[in-house]
Amino acid sequence: MKILKSKLPKHNTAFVFQTHCSTPLIRKYFEQLLDQVEHMVDVYLLVDYSKFDHVFYKTLVDGISDDRYGVISYKLDDLFEPTYGYWDDNHKRRYNLTEIIPFLRFFEMFPNYDVLWRSEYDVFCNGDWADILNATKDSDAGYIATQVIDFNENDPYWKHWYKFHSDIPVEARVRSHNAVCRFTRPATDIMREAVTKHKGHYEVFPGSVLKACGVKIEDLGSTSTYTPTAMKGKLYDSETFGPFGNHFVAAEYTPEELKKDYLYHPVKVPKWAKWEPAYCYYVR
């Protein structure tokens, strides 16, 4: 990982907005996040340059004051160091832990932060991000994510339950979705020690390992058994948030037509619209 643009730390919490591409819609979501939380946390753009060069991100920040954000770049292949990844069949890098590794590295690179939030580029908040941070600021959970479920609460035949190489019994494993999530430094310290002992899908790794180590984990909202009472029924549900599908309607509808204060994911520009000027920087 490389620091493309540094930022003077003002808070003990950082918030990374992670993306591998640049569109006007993604910039809109980044600016919303920046406007709503920069008074509470330090905001960083976390860019994957596997398919882009080191300047592609500038379309996301042109015209925004430099002192408001930092920029960090990474390439997934570069993160497969001996202590963070492993080889599969001696010839193919396995897509394992790659979603988590940048956050472990972040805490190593920035020792002044105690807490790290992350949002993917395709998450839309139909409300105020600051309200979410305020609602969780007193939580002592080491890890907060969405759709946090135990093995027997959902489809027990999901293949990644069993492809997780670990001494944690499958019945004790936890699955979570990390499009929006929060880590504390102690939790990432534990995960860093665990990456060579527990190997498998990035939706199984954090919740399973941290719970097994006695770290408190929570669901950000909805109705999970891991959702705090005060957050029950809030922030998202199965109709607005998930790993699959496309909630592009969130980009097309007005806020009043959507669920107030809810998170929508994924919000991706479909093929039929990707060359429309409103959704592409390269068409005018």
Side-chain angles (χ1 to χ4, degrees):
M1 289 174 61
K2 300 178 180 178
I3 300 175
L4 300 186
K5 194 182 81 62
S6 60
K7 174 176 175 53
L8 181 65
K10 297 180 180 179
H11 308 277
N12 68 349
T13 298
F15 200 129
V16 296
F17 180 94
Q18 188 172 9
T19 183
H20 66 282
C21 51
S22 175
T23 70
L25 184 62
I26 295 172
R27 174 172 175 135
K28 176 183 176 181
Y29 293 164
F30 176 67
E31 285 194 86
Q32 176 192 4
L33 175 69
L34 188 61
D35 289 343
Q36 292 178 346
V37 305
E38 64 179 328
H39 66 289
M40 304 171 63
V41 298
D42 294 337
V43 178
Y44 289 84
L45 195 59
L46 179 62
V47 295
D48 177 356
Y49 67 91
S50 298
K51 299 180 181 178
F52 301 91
D53 60 32
H54 278 172
V55 298
F56 91 89
Y57 74 88
K58 292 187 178 179
T59 51
L60 296 174
V61 296
D62 282 344
I64 300 176
S65 178
D66 279 352
D67 62 348
R68 298 180 63 192
Y69 64 92
V71 182
I72 307 163
S73 70
Y74 70 98
K75 189 175 182 181
L76 289 179
D77 286 348
D78 294 344
L79 294 177
F80 275 92
E81 301 170 7
T83 54
Y84 292 114
Y86 70 101
W87 288 85
D88 184 32
D89 297 331
N90 294 321
H91 65 84
K92 183 179 180 181
R93 292 184 185 274
R94 178 138 180 172
Y95 189 57
N96 119 355
L97 302 180
T98 52
E99 187 175 81
I100 304 301
I101 292 172
F103 315 130
L104 307 185
R105 289 287 295 122
F106 184 92
F107 276 111
E108 293 175 354
M109 296 171 65
F110 298 95
N112 50 292
Y113 294 119
D114 299 322
V115 177
L116 176 65
W117 279 90
R118 177 262 192 143
S119 174
E120 285 188 315
Y121 68 98
D122 54 357
V123 175
F124 169 60
C125 176
N126 190 37
D128 194 326
W129 280 105
D131 291 340
I132 297 176
L133 270 60
N134 280 323
T136 55
K137 67 179 180 180
D138 295 325
S139 169
D140 58 351
Y143 172 57
I144 301 176
T146 60
Q147 297 178 318
V148 184
I149 57 173
D150 289 324
F151 169 77
N152 285 324
E153 285 188 46
N154 200 12
D155 183 3
Y157 302 106
W158 185 53
K159 64 182 180 180
H160 293 292
W161 287 125
Y162 308 97
K163 296 176 71 173
F164 187 62
H165 305 292
S166 169
D167 59 3
I168 300 173
V170 65
E171 296 83 3
R173 294 174 186 176
V174 179
R175 177 183 179 181
S176 57
H177 188 50
N178 304 305
V180 177
C181 58
R182 191 195 81 170
F183 297 97
T184 63
R185 179 176 291 278
T188 58
D189 288 342
I190 291 173
M191 289 192 292
R192 186 180 300 105
E193 293 295 322
V195 291
T196 57
K197 303 174 185 177
H198 310 273
K199 301 170 181 177
H201 199 275
Y202 54 83
E203 290 183 2
V204 182
F205 176 79
S208 300
V209 169
L210 293 174
K211 183 178 180 180
C213 291
V215 177
K216 184 178 181 180
I217 61 177
E218 287 183 352
D219 198 306
L220 188 60
S222 193
T223 56
S224 164
T225 56
Y226 290 92
T227 307
T229 301
M231 302 302 293
K232 287 284 186 181
K234 296 182 179 180
L235 296 182
Y236 77 93
D237 58 31
S238 61
E239 295 181 355
T240 72
F241 204 95
F244 307 111
N246 189 356
H247 295 287
F248 182 63
V249 292
E252 295 280 89
Y253 288 6
T254 64
E256 291 74 25
E257 296 175 285
L258 302 171
K259 293 185 177 181
K260 180 174 170 43
D261 298 326
Y262 266 51
L263 296 168
Y264 285 77
H265 174 272
V267 182
K268 298 181 184 292
V269 178
K271 290 183 178 180
W272 63 263
K274 71 176 184 178
W275 296 115
E276 294 291 325
Y279 300 112
C280 180
Y281 277 120
Y282 307 105
V283 177
R284 289 293 182 265

